[in-house]
Amino acid sequence: MSQFDRTTDSGAKADAESDRDADESEPVARTESCMSPSDVFATLGNDTRVEILRALLELGADEEPVSFTDLFEQVDIEDSANFSYHLRKLTGHFVKQGDDGYEFRYPGRKVVSSIFTGTLTERAQVGFFPAEGTCYACDGDLHGWYVDDTLSIGCTDCGTVQVSYPFPSGALDDREPEDFLQAFHHYVRHHYCLAADGVCPECTGSVDTALVRDPEEDDLDVAVTHRCGRCGYRLRSTVGVTLLDDADVLVFHSKRGVDLNTASFWQFDWCVSDARTEIVSEEPLRVQLTLPCDGDALRVLVDESVSVVDTEIVDADVTDAPEA
């Protein structure tokens, strides 16, 4: 479906046009371009067309239009008529043609990102390497590993996994483990913060978020579920990881010398377990998290919609929160 319009029924579109006539100030979505999944695969299943997309990337079509001549010279093809045919197949949905030349449309740029960063074309494997932090279950050292397009971080002693999440293999290029772990932190944090804000990390559709008691297939008493109503994308997490973008949580830690924007989230037991999460109400479901930092603790009350209801700073020594 086009990102501009989810409606394909002609009667519904006619009603929308009628509504627009009645109130010109109210914007109405319209279908600008639409291709079926099979048409997309058929269009992209050609070496010349993939090379055209690569040439647009190399010639800087993100910044300014590329002329037909420059594009033709960049692609390894001798027949200009054949080249024009393949370029026309891309123009409209993947590539935009203007007076000054050709540039990416969003779907075309997305294809380039997926193909040429290795998301769709590469498989990588990285053996064990040290990771910052300690295990929330036994206080043991952590290590990471990368297998089947997923980066995982777990304990070297008890084997408890702190986090495991799909991660494009292109992120490993030209990076030492310390660097791609930092990239992993930002990548995962961004996904969960987007989902918590109601935006799907995959398609930008609307996400429904809810607090779930005794979630299936999880060693948690309570978890957060995110589901996109558009593409069906799903995420499940601890309650704590959804607080990484909360203003009160950020300020509390910042005043005590901890930047949650850069500090690897798996260092904090409240992010990767429910050890510091207490259920304070069943009907409606509410939980309280206790986040310790530098002798103090921030108590955060969260409701069934995973909204922060209240926060309170207390002395960490007098809290009932268990040690990590």
Side-chain angles (χ1 to χ4, degrees):
M1 301 291 288
S2 164
Q3 71 257 34
F4 299 100
D5 188 294
R6 297 285 295 174
T7 303
T8 57
D9 180 75
S10 58
K13 290 182 178 179
D15 291 341
E17 291 297 327
S18 176
D19 292 342
R20 182 167 188 157
D21 291 339
D23 185 1
E24 287 295 331
S25 64
E26 182 178 345
V28 176
R30 61 185 178 86
T31 299
E32 182 171 327
S33 176
C34 183
M35 294 182 73
S36 68
S38 59
D39 287 340
V40 169
F41 282 108
T43 299
L44 297 174
N46 178 278
D47 289 343
T48 299
R49 294 170 200 168
V50 172
E51 284 304 309
I52 290 173
L53 292 174
R54 181 194 292 272
L56 284 167
L57 178 66
E58 293 174 348
L59 292 171
D62 280 333
E63 300 177 1
E64 59 183 8
V66 175
S67 71
F68 178 91
T69 300
D70 289 343
L71 195 55
F72 176 64
E73 291 177 351
Q74 187 76 7
V75 177
D76 185 18
I77 187 172
E78 296 180 358
D79 186 350
S80 63
N82 191 22
F83 173 81
S84 297
Y85 167 77
H86 290 296
L87 181 58
R88 284 196 303 273
K89 287 293 185 179
L90 293 170
T91 302
H93 193 79
F94 298 102
V95 176
K96 179 167 61 176
Q97 180 183 8
D99 294 338
D100 297 325
Y102 298 85
E103 54 189 319
F104 285 117
R105 297 184 66 85
Y106 178 77
R109 191 62 180 86
K110 190 72 172 178
V111 167
V112 166
S113 297
S114 297
I115 293 177
F116 300 124
T117 60
T119 302
L120 300 179
T121 59
E122 297 178 4
R123 295 195 68 186
Q125 183 170 319
V126 180
F128 293 126
F129 50 87
E132 191 174 12
T134 57
C135 175
Y136 69 82
C138 74
D139 208 32
D141 294 332
L142 301 180
H143 60 182
W145 62 97
Y146 186 84
V147 178
D148 292 335
D149 309 304
T150 298
L151 199 158
S152 303
I153 297 171
C155 179
T156 60
D157 294 337
C158 71
T160 299
V161 175
Q162 316 287 302
V163 59
S164 186
Y165 200 84
F167 193 48
S169 61
L172 279 59
D173 289 349
D174 302 321
R175 284 190 173 118
E176 295 297 321
E178 181 180 351
D179 297 323
F180 66 67
L181 278 174
Q182 185 62 205
F184 178 69
H185 158 76
H186 288 295
Y187 182 82
V188 177
R189 183 184 188 278
H190 179 63
H191 274 206
Y192 279 114
C193 289
L194 268 178
D197 287 337
V199 179
C200 176
E202 189 69 21
C203 77
T204 68
S206 296
V207 170
D208 291 325
T209 297
L211 208 56
V212 178
R213 186 77 162 90
D214 295 322
E216 297 179 2
E217 301 177 5
D218 248 331
D219 187 24
L220 299 170
D221 292 328
V222 62
V224 175
T225 60
H226 307 280
R227 185 183 184 280
C228 176
R230 185 182 188 205
C231 71
Y233 187 81
R234 294 172 182 268
L235 283 175
R236 179 174 290 170
S237 74
T238 63
V239 182
V241 78
T242 67
L243 301 178
L244 287 171
D245 209 29
D246 180 79
D248 289 340
V249 174
L250 286 167
V251 170
F252 170 76
H253 284 85
S254 177
K255 287 183 175 180
R256 290 155 183 81
V258 177
D259 183 1
L260 291 182
N261 291 302
T262 58
S264 302
F265 67 88
W266 55 85
Q267 297 182 60
F268 305 101
D269 57 355
W270 51 270
C271 272
V272 294
S273 77
D274 59 3
R276 298 184 182 274
T277 303
E278 177 189 1
I279 298 171
V280 296
S281 171
E282 295 281 1
E283 293 292 340
L285 183 58
R286 288 193 173 189
V287 299
Q288 179 178 273
L289 287 81
T290 303
L291 319 182
C293 185
D294 194 29
D296 295 321
L298 183 68
R299 282 179 174 162
V300 184
L301 183 63
V302 177
D303 66 14
E304 67 276 11
S305 66
V306 200
S307 298
V308 174
V309 177
D310 189 33
T311 60
E312 177 189 13
I313 297 175
V314 297
D315 189 336
D317 294 334
V318 298
T319 65
D320 294 328
E323 291 299 322

